[in-house]
Amino acid sequence: MNTYESGSRPPGRVVVGVDGSPAAGRALWWAAHEAVRQGRVLHIVHGAGVVYADYIVGEAVRLLTGAARVVLDEAAAEVGRRLPDLPVTTALSHGPGSEAVLEAARPDDLAVVGCRGRGGFSGLLLGSVSLSVAARASCPVVVVRGGPEPGAPAGEVVAGFRDEQDLPAVRFAARIARSHRADLRVVHAWRLLDQAAVAIPMFDEVAAIRETEGKAFTASVDALRREFPGLPTTDEFVEASSTAGALLHAAAGAGLLVVGTRRPHSRVGLRLGRVTHAVLHHADCPVAVVPGPAGADATQPYSPDQNQ
């Protein structure tokens, strides 16, 4: 069901990468139904992987490109058959799958990828394309794994919160929850280990830090409730030895887990924090990664209902 009236469609598209694999097929349908729900265009992309086209015999390039075009056209045709009213566009890239998605996705888009592609084996938790897109995209990225069947309501949406830098991710979660008519649960995992340096000599000070963090968390969630009146929202302040473990436990059975990521300024490596990396590998539901303040456009996160 389209959430938007004519003329109120928000900017941006839902960009999804396909490669003919079962995981990419699930991502395609998650993205397609989300595009319908948000009143957005679905943009399907595929990377042919012909990165050294100048050094490959011309006929081989044509064969590879032709096979890639078939994958892309079949995906678009299947969406057209099942969701005929959804606007669909496509793009074929000569680069690898990750570059195809990254080239297409703009800051106001939502990018969607499967948990692993054709090159992944059955025991692989997460593919290189998924990790690369989640780490480098300037827009929110959903890695589809487990969870409800595509098209079904999201169920509970769980958002991780560390401090105010995660507010873009929590707002993203609230918008998704509201559009899916789902409940929102915001989880703050407080680790005593983080205060180990003062825990023994100044136990009272550690308790004061915990109380201060708890009050700040409650105030942030209360502000969120005022921003999204009517959205069923619960806040959960938990003491845990592992932040990622606490989020994974909270998201068991959820429809979506949302985390913010603090990307370092260094261009070396995948630039994913440890918590984000862990939940991407081990969550049993789709995971949304929302760029934080160090991202390309941290102050303007994807807003499926920013006009409401």
Side-chain angles (χ1 to χ4, degrees), residues 5 20 40 78 82 90-91 121 123 127 179 195 222 235 260 292:
E5 299 296 333
R40 292 173 179 260
E78 182 63 19
R82 294 171 61 175
T90 64
F121 49 88
S179 69
Q195 312 301 329
D222 286 345
D235 55 276

Side-chain angles (χ1 to χ4, degrees), residues 152-180:
E156 185 179 55
V157 175
V158 176
F161 179 92
R162 286 160 289 185
D163 53 42
E164 290 186 352
Q165 292 187 68
D166 283 321
L167 286 176
V170 176
R171 289 192 180 101
F172 171 90
R175 291 167 180 133
I176 291 289
R178 185 162 69 179
S179 69
H180 281 253

Side-chain angles (χ1 to χ4, degrees), residues 7 9-10 22 24 26 41 69 91 106 109 115 192 223 261 271 282 296:
R9 177 179 294 174
R26 186 174 179 84
V41 171
R69 172 56 65 182
R106 306 161 186 159
D109 290 336
C115 59
L192 177 61
T261 185
R271 302 191 302 156
H282 298 289

Side-chain angles (χ1 to χ4, degrees), residues 101-298:
V101 178
L102 291 167
E103 288 171 4
R106 306 161 186 159
D108 58 356
D109 290 336
L110 171 65
V112 181
V113 292
C115 59
R116 61 176 181 267
R118 288 180 301 179
F121 49 88
S122 60
L124 186 65
L125 295 175
L126 195 69
S128 59
V129 171
S130 309
L131 277 173
S132 181
V133 173
R136 297 166 57 197
S138 61
C139 64
V141 176
V142 173
V143 178
V144 178
R145 51 184 307 145
E149 286 301 310
E156 185 179 55
V157 175
V158 176
F161 179 92
R162 286 160 289 185
D163 53 42
E164 290 186 352
Q165 292 187 68
D166 283 321
L167 286 176
V170 176
R171 289 192 180 101
F172 171 90
R175 291 167 180 133
I176 291 289
R178 185 162 69 179
S179 69
H180 281 253
R181 296 180 174 85
D183 293 353
L184 173 66
R185 178 153 51 130
V186 186
V187 179
H188 177 76
W190 190 79
R191 300 176 70 242
L192 177 61
L193 188 61
D194 291 340
Q195 312 301 329
V198 297
I200 295 176
M202 292 176 282
F203 183 82
D204 290 342
E205 186 168 332
V206 173
I209 292 172
R210 183 195 185 284
E211 182 179 1
T212 299
E213 284 198 23
K215 288 180 178 179
F217 171 58
T218 299
S220 294
V221 177
D222 286 345
L224 185 77
R225 290 190 178 101
R226 292 191 293 271
E227 186 176 349
F228 295 87
L231 175 65
T233 302
T234 59
D235 55 276
E236 188 173 328
F237 186 94
V238 297
E239 294 187 24
S241 59
S242 165
T243 300
L247 292 178
L248 291 169
H249 178 76
L256 182 69
L257 171 60
V258 181
V259 292
T261 185
R262 317 289 175 87
R263 295 175 177 172
H265 293 291
S266 171
R267 296 182 180 274
V268 178
L270 285 178
R271 302 191 302 156
L272 279 175
R274 288 176 294 177
V275 172
T276 303
H277 201 278
V279 299
L280 280 172
H281 275 86
H282 298 289
D284 59 4
C285 67
V287 177
V289 178
V290 180
D297 193 12

Side-chain angles (χ1 to χ4, degrees), residues 9-35:
R9 177 179 294 174
R13 309 156 299 168
V14 178
V15 177
V16 60
V18 298
D19 63 4
S21 67
R26 186 174 179 84
L28 172 65
W29 290 112
W30 196 99
H33 286 289
E34 193 63 25

Side-chain angles (χ1 to χ4, degrees), residues 67-92:
R69 172 56 65 182
V70 169
V71 171
L72 190 60
D73 289 347
E74 286 182 349
E78 182 63 19
V79 172
R81 284 191 293 269
R82 294 171 61 175
L83 298 171
D85 295 329
L86 175 62
V88 176
T89 58
T90 64
L92 179 63

